[in-house]
Amino acid sequence: MSMPLTSAPAWRQGDIIELAITDLGSGGEGVGRWEDRVVFVPNTVPGDRVRVQLMRVKPTYSFGKSVGIITASPDRVRPACIVADKCGGCQWQAVAYPAQLSAKHQQVVDALTRIGGFEQVAVDPVLAAAEPLGYRNKATYPLALTQAGTLKAGYYRKGSHRLVNLNQCPVQDSRLDPLLAEVKQDIQAQGWKIYDEATRRGHLRYLSLRIGRRTGQILLTLVSRSLKLDNIEVQAQAWLDRYPNLVGVLINLNWKQTNRIWGPETQCVAGQADLEEEFAGLRFQIQPATFFQVNTAQAEQLLQAIQAELALSGQETIVDAYCGIGTLTLPLAQQARRCIGLESHAESVAQAEQNAAINQIENVEFLTGDVAEWLPKMSDKLGKIPDLVVLDPPRKGCDPVVLDALLALRPKRIVYVSCNPATLARDLKQLCQDSYRLTRVQPADLFPQTAHIESAAFLVAQGSY
């Protein structure tokens, strides 16, 4: 039975309205306007005309759900995943890829103008992915049991803790799909207890798979509240024997009552503790829990854009803040006189040092500690002000203390790499009040089929050029 349209302008929960979707929001929802109010509707595409039931109603905006497409957008495509409308892992599989790129470009522009207050800024076209599917080199799946006791692994529905069971995922490297489907069966057969969030009992919390896109090497990691999993050594060896590309099976210990996936300790059960990957012509050793961009090819394309913009002469001194395992530090060090990486995560620093040694890069040094504490010391340590500081902070952006330290240090140039246009714009506003000029921003699509976008912003000190 169809639900009637609201006959007169109304704005109540449960009302059905007819809506034209005009934009895509930063959260992945389609956006339309009705009676000067904004309506956010998941699983819609700009150009759609839809019937929408209002779900959460506020005075000037509402969240709704589509209850029927009246006219489909020319940019609407068939999703590659059969559960794309349910799974919270992707938001835009129904959106044609060129339209995704356009929306992401606009997302960056809007953040810079509305949050950053920049009237005119050059935002280059988004660097498109050659492979909008099958690109993810890492997938970490929560585990849960159905009421019948069957093991599920997948992603949560958007805004919920209801797990959508997956046996394959079109955005992850297809070489991981057999492991996802079959390892679930093995875990079930072993009888290992699955963690229950409601009762806080059980052990296994996540299944994580990571692959070297260029080498094909795979790591399988179980995140557990306990290291005591009966028969784990035998099962781990069976996995190594079954999957030729699997090089290591590990357990990450996370006993805390937290939403964080990874715990502080990882033990190798069988095989090796890291995989090898090739990036920017260098060899990297990568462990399960340390940060490495999920899209190898696109991270490389963004690095190349940064290198082209900087046009380093070989005489520069560079500080790479939030350097991780040296993903940007080491390629830039090859083109500079000296490079220092700053990172608070001790295990990442150890891997960065290992990666420098593997690639015989000797003009680089990695320091463990908080970026806010290290930055003020850089001119004394280097004997000069660095020519360039690279920032690649977490999604929440830089602490104001870091920005203050950077303004006091005042390097000639800054490259700010960010996966969050909102926090990027917020931080650029502070940096560009008096001391720096934003010359251009280069977005890159590291996360096709999602609303996320990576960007590199290029700043020069006022009066430097």
Side-chain angles (χ1 to χ4, degrees):
M1 179 177 177
S2 63
M3 290 175 281
L5 290 173
T6 303
S7 58
W11 195 245
R12 300 182 301 265
Q13 183 171 324
D15 283 344
I16 307 294
I17 63 173
E18 191 173 300
L19 189 70
I21 303 298
T22 57
D23 301 289
L24 287 169
S26 59
E29 305 93 344
V31 181
R33 285 164 180 80
W34 186 85
E35 297 288 333
D36 296 324
R37 297 166 173 132
V38 177
V39 186
F40 300 93
V41 190
N43 303 314
T44 56
V45 178
D48 281 346
R49 190 161 192 86
V50 291
R51 288 162 58 88
V52 175
Q53 183 175 25
L54 302 178
M55 303 301 292
R56 288 163 48 202
V57 178
K58 303 294 182 181
T60 59
Y61 68 94
S62 176
F63 292 89
K65 70 175 182 179
S66 173
V67 293
I69 298 175
I70 300 168
T71 306
S73 167
D75 289 322
R76 176 174 282 277
V77 297
R78 184 173 182 174
C81 180
I82 61 174
V83 294
D85 61 333
K86 301 178 181 66
C87 178
C90 300
Q91 302 89 40
W92 286 358
Q93 281 201 31
V95 183
Y97 190 53
Q100 293 185 33
L101 297 175
S102 176
K104 293 185 181 192
H105 185 271
Q106 192 61 45
Q107 189 184 136
V108 177
V109 172
D110 288 347
L112 290 170
T113 54
R114 296 173 184 174
I115 300 173
F118 295 95
E119 294 182 0
Q120 291 183 329
V121 61
V123 179
D124 289 356
V126 179
L127 297 175
E131 297 179 89
L133 293 169
Y135 63 87
R136 283 192 68 98
N137 58 36
K138 183 181 180 183
T140 302
Y141 296 103
L143 301 174
L145 292 176
T146 66
Q147 289 185 342
T150 303
L151 180 64
K152 299 191 296 183
Y155 292 121
Y156 294 116
R157 287 177 180 261
K158 185 174 176 63
S160 81
H161 266 256
R162 290 178 292 165
L163 203 61
V164 177
N165 189 46
L166 299 176
N167 287 320
Q168 61 180 11
C169 177
V171 297
Q172 76 177 17
D173 190 305
S174 61
R175 291 170 289 185
L176 299 179
D177 285 337
L179 280 77
L180 174 59
E182 296 167 8
V183 168
K184 280 195 301 183
Q185 297 176 3
D186 294 330
I187 293 174
Q188 181 109 40
Q190 289 292 346
W192 295 327
K193 294 186 180 299
I194 307 303
Y195 180 66
D196 186 314
E197 287 187 336
T199 64
R200 295 176 178 171
R201 300 178 66 181
H203 297 299
L204 286 187
R205 304 176 73 153
Y206 298 91
L207 165 64
S208 182
L209 303 171
R210 175 167 245 171
I211 186 168
R213 290 278 289 172
R214 305 275 168 68
T215 64
Q217 293 186 4
I218 299 172
L219 293 178
L220 186 161
T221 306
L222 299 173
V223 180
S224 175
R225 295 177 69 226
S226 169
L227 296 173
K228 296 178 181 179
L229 300 175
D230 293 341
N231 208 39
I232 180 61
E233 291 84 2
V234 174
Q235 180 61 74
Q237 189 58 53
W239 284 330
L240 289 175
D241 294 340
R242 185 191 304 166
Y243 306 111
N245 284 10
L246 183 64
V247 297
V249 177
L250 305 97
I251 297 177
N252 175 264
L253 187 60
N254 183 1
W255 64 89
K256 297 182 179 179
Q257 295 174 7
T258 173
N259 289 331
R260 292 178 65 105
I261 294 174
W262 299 98
E265 180 183 349
T266 303
Q267 291 191 13
C268 184
V269 179
Q272 58 197 51
D274 47 30
L275 61 78
E276 183 174 294
E277 178 63 305
E278 297 171 4
F279 179 81
L282 301 173
R283 292 166 54 213
F284 283 81
Q285 297 291 331
I286 306 172
Q287 293 179 0
T290 49
F291 178 77
F292 186 80
Q293 290 284 10
V294 299
N295 192 327
T296 307
Q298 283 300 95
E300 201 167 71
Q301 188 176 187
L302 182 58
L303 168 65
Q304 290 167 355
I306 292 171
Q307 291 173 318
E309 173 69 16
L310 293 177
L312 298 173
S313 68
Q315 299 304 309
E316 292 85 359
T317 299
I318 299 173
V319 173
D320 183 9
Y322 312 97
C323 68
I325 63 171
T327 313
L328 294 178
T329 326
L330 298 180
L332 291 176
Q334 289 185 305
Q335 300 177 336
R337 184 178 69 85
R338 185 181 180 188
C339 202
I340 292 182
L342 309 179
E343 174 58 52
S344 61
H345 189 236
E347 289 185 13
S348 293
V349 170
Q351 287 179 71
E353 292 172 339
Q354 179 185 21
N355 290 327
I358 289 171
N359 292 283
Q360 299 180 333
I361 298 175
E362 299 179 350
N363 63 332
V364 64
E365 180 181 358
F366 294 98
L367 303 174
T368 305
D370 190 87
V371 170
E373 295 179 5
W374 273 117
L375 268 183
K377 305 174 185 177
M378 281 297 100
S379 58
D380 291 337
K381 181 170 181 59
L382 295 168
K384 59 173 288 190
I385 296 171
D387 301 292
L388 168 69
V389 170
V390 178
L391 298 169
D392 190 0
R395 186 169 178 78
K396 65 181 180 180
C398 291
D399 188 286
V401 177
V402 172
L403 299 178
D404 289 340
L406 191 59
L407 289 169
L409 186 63
R410 208 169 187 272
K412 295 177 183 176
R413 292 195 284 183
I414 297 171
V415 178
Y416 191 138
V417 180
S418 170
C419 64
N420 186 340
T423 55
L424 172 66
R426 179 202 67 198
D427 292 350
L428 292 181
K429 182 177 183 179
Q430 181 174 341
L431 291 172
C432 294
Q433 281 182 346
D434 300 305
S435 300
Y436 285 90
R437 176 170 57 88
L438 177 61
T439 60
R440 58 181 280 256
V441 177
Q442 176 61 74
D445 190 16
L446 270 66
F447 317 100
Q449 318 307 328
T450 79
H452 300 297
I453 179 69
E454 193 93 359
S455 300
F458 301 97
L459 295 84
V460 296
Q462 298 280 17
S464 294
Y465 294 90

